Amino acid sequence: MSEKMLPIALSNRHLHLSKKDIETLFREGYELESFKYLSQPGQFAAVEKVDLVGPKGTIKGVRVLGPARSNTQIEISLSDSFILGIRPPVRDSGNLKNSPGVKIVGPKGEVDLEEGVIIASRHIHMHTSDAEAFGVTDRQVVKIRTFGERAVVFENVLVRIHPTYALEMHVDVDEGNAAAVRNGDLVELMLE
């Protein structure tokens, strides 16, 4: 087996909220409560959930991730987009320009989001030391091979490097299920 192995994780639908939108949805001065910490340092799944309402349907109980961000961002799968009736682009986190919006419904209010819904690009978080060991650079695009009965090669995988990141590849639930991978399975980074 290759020395270029790393864990994969499936990212379910979720959203990151701005402080302003947290206060609109929950109440003034509200702080998100941590439900569990995520693999990336400082990031957590919050206790709070909201409903997403699109032109064709609603998805109830969507988990909020913390901490608060400067802009509200919703990450869904292609399957989710059919339920909502919107056509979000596949984008890197934070690239929200000209993406569709939805209504976010919380216990104390609603936010009509003008833009901010994306299907997150598959990507790898790497600490700077991992990047050196793997021989890759920030924003490099690589391939990842999975193993097992439904093994696939994921192309167009963006490498994101930062000294606070923990090594992990992220795909959405649709992609992970298609490849029959589970959280923590090892996958292989392929350099051409």
Side-chain angles (χ1 to χ4, degrees):
M1 201 169 268
S2 166
E3 293 179 16
K4 298 200 182 301
M5 303 295 287
L6 65 148
I8 192 169
L10 283 66
S11 181
N12 202 356
R13 66 180 75 103
H14 64 272
L15 67 161
H16 306 271
L17 293 170
S18 68
K19 182 69 175 156
K20 178 183 176 216
D21 289 346
I22 290 170
E23 292 187 346
T24 300
L25 294 166
F26 297 99
R27 71 172 157 69
E28 190 173 337
Y30 193 86
E31 296 287 334
L32 295 174
E33 181 182 343
S34 175
F35 172 68
K36 73 173 183 177
Y37 285 96
L38 303 176
S39 61
Q40 296 307 309
Q43 304 292 305
F44 61 90
V47 170
E48 294 78 12
K49 295 180 180 180
V50 296
D51 297 341
L52 304 180
V53 181
K56 288 190 175 176
T58 299
I59 300 176
K60 294 191 166 290
V62 179
R63 178 84 58 191
V64 176
L65 300 188
R69 289 199 178 174
S70 54
N71 293 304
T72 292
Q73 173 176 304
I74 300 171
E75 297 177 35
I76 63 172
S77 70
L78 185 59
S79 296
D80 293 333
S81 74
F82 299 143
I83 294 167
L84 294 171
I86 58 174
R87 297 183 65 166
V90 176
R91 296 263 182 88
D92 189 23
S93 181
N95 182 0
L96 308 177
K97 190 166 181 66
N98 298 319
S99 62
V102 293
K103 180 185 287 187
I104 307 170
V105 180
K108 300 291 184 186
E110 299 178 351
V111 172
D112 284 311
L113 193 66
E114 298 274 325
E115 65 181 14
V117 183
I118 62 170
I119 298 170
S121 298
R122 55 183 81 113
H123 59 278
I124 301 169
H125 292 273
M126 277 194 187
H127 186 275
T128 48
S129 61
D130 294 318
E132 189 174 317
F134 279 79
V136 294
T137 57
D138 190 42
R139 309 212 54 84
Q140 183 174 344
V141 176
V142 298
K143 294 180 183 180
I144 291 288
R145 178 174 35 207
T146 70
F147 301 93
E149 283 187 79
R150 300 192 76 191
V152 300
V153 173
F154 287 115
E155 299 202 19
N156 305 317
V157 181
L158 180 67
V159 176
R160 296 168 57 196
I161 300 168
H162 195 273
T164 63
Y165 287 166
L167 181 63
E168 190 171 63
M169 178 184 179
H170 290 170
V171 293
D172 69 31
V173 171
D174 285 355
E175 294 177 302
N177 287 341
V181 293
R182 296 180 183 199
N183 289 332
D185 283 356
L186 293 179
V187 296
E188 181 184 15
L189 187 145
M190 302 167 64
L191 293 175
E192 295 188 39

